[in-house]
Amino acid sequence: MDALELLLSRVSMPALTEPGPTPEQYQTMVQAAYRAPDHAHLQPYRFLRVRGDRRYDLGKVILDVMLARDSDLAETQQRRLLQNPLRAPEILLPVLTPKEHPKVPEIEQVLSLGGAVNNILHAAHAMGIGAMWRTGLICYEPALAQGLGLSGDERLYGFIYLGTPVGKNKPVARVKAEDFLSDW
Ligand SMILES: Cc1cc2nc3c(=O)[nH]c(=O)nc-3n(C[C@H](O)[C@H](O)[C@H](O)COP(=O)(O)O)c2cc1C
């Protein structure tokens, strides 16, 4: 796909089914991630992959965290939390692994992670893989990081759902440059 056409046509794909990406496609997506701008080349993030039955385990971890916050959670909400990871065959969890650096504050490392996720979304799109980046407030719960086995200073920045798109892409919303661009 032409590079500009790729950038201008990516959309999030909420409805995803089997199969997930191949090992070769993961190579490409992860390599694309680490081509994002990265001040001082700190590589301040890593990715956890959740697929197959591990998605049920992820659902249970999420439910436990939410129940610890609110033990009266309605049955329907509990079921929804358990089932959320089943929305796609595979999920990539971007994890910030912040590094101490005199010239690179943590915000720059978070920005770099955002660029890396964006590269994954575009690489997926280029290969016909559907993808959607979600967070939800649960994402920032320290108990969830703990339940996932992250180390003390690591933080979760969402869930990238990956799979084969179901149905047609939604129409692309395109802005007018002049609405967001002005001379200073
Ligand atoms: C950091 C981040 C977190 C997001 N979390 C959610 C989410 O939890 N639920 C959701 O429906 N969309 C979420 N979105 C938005 C979708 O990923 C998507 O960008 C949005 O639905 C617009 O669709 P588009 O990507 O096709 O333009 C998030 C986006 C970002 C950048």
Side-chain angles (χ1 to χ4, degrees):
M1 199 189 292
D2 171 74
L4 288 178
E5 173 57 26
L6 174 86
L7 287 175
L8 293 172
S9 63
R10 186 209 62 81
V11 288
S12 296
M13 304 294 294
L16 298 166
T17 189
E18 301 280 353
T22 64
E24 292 74 23
Q25 288 172 328
Y26 273 110
Q27 273 294 332
T28 303
M29 288 191 290
V30 173
Q31 287 176 350
Y34 288 87
R35 287 309 314 133
D38 175 7
H39 195 172
H41 303 288
L42 297 180
Q43 301 180 333
Y45 44 80
R46 65 187 178 103
F47 299 91
L48 284 173
R49 181 170 55 193
V50 182
R51 51 188 174 159
D53 287 350
R54 291 295 278 162
R55 294 173 303 158
Y56 294 95
D57 297 333
L58 176 61
K60 282 183 212 142
V61 171
I62 289 173
L63 177 60
D64 285 347
V65 171
M66 293 307 279
L67 281 174
R69 265 178 41 166
D70 176 9
S71 55
D72 292 333
L73 212 57
E75 277 269 325
T76 47
Q77 274 177 299
Q78 292 193 31
R79 219 170 309 124
R80 193 172 51 78
L81 288 168
L82 275 175
Q83 286 174 355
N84 275 350
L86 308 180
R87 286 191 275 217
E90 312 210 357
I91 314 167
L92 271 187
L93 279 51
V95 175
L96 186 76
T97 55
K99 307 284 192 312
E100 283 292 331
H101 192 284
K103 289 187 184 161
V104 189
E106 190 173 302
I107 181 62
E108 292 191 8
Q109 300 180 39
V110 176
L111 290 169
S112 191
L113 178 147
V117 173
N118 206 37
N119 280 6
I120 288 179
L121 298 179
H122 281 110
H125 178 44
M127 296 185 290
I129 300 163
M132 181 157 178
W133 187 8
R134 297 176 189 266
T135 46
L137 289 180
I138 178 83
C139 169
Y140 306 114
E141 285 284 329
L144 181 60
Q146 211 177 357
L148 290 169
L150 306 191
S151 72
D153 58 348
E154 289 186 321
R155 277 194 306 285
L156 180 67
Y157 275 94
F159 308 86
I160 309 168
Y161 290 85
L162 295 167
T164 301
V166 177
K168 285 200 166 162
N169 290 13
K170 65 185 177 188
V172 174
R174 200 156 289 174
V175 303
K176 286 199 195 111
E178 56 273 27
D179 290 343
F180 297 94
L181 172 70
S182 57
D183 290 312
W184 181 73

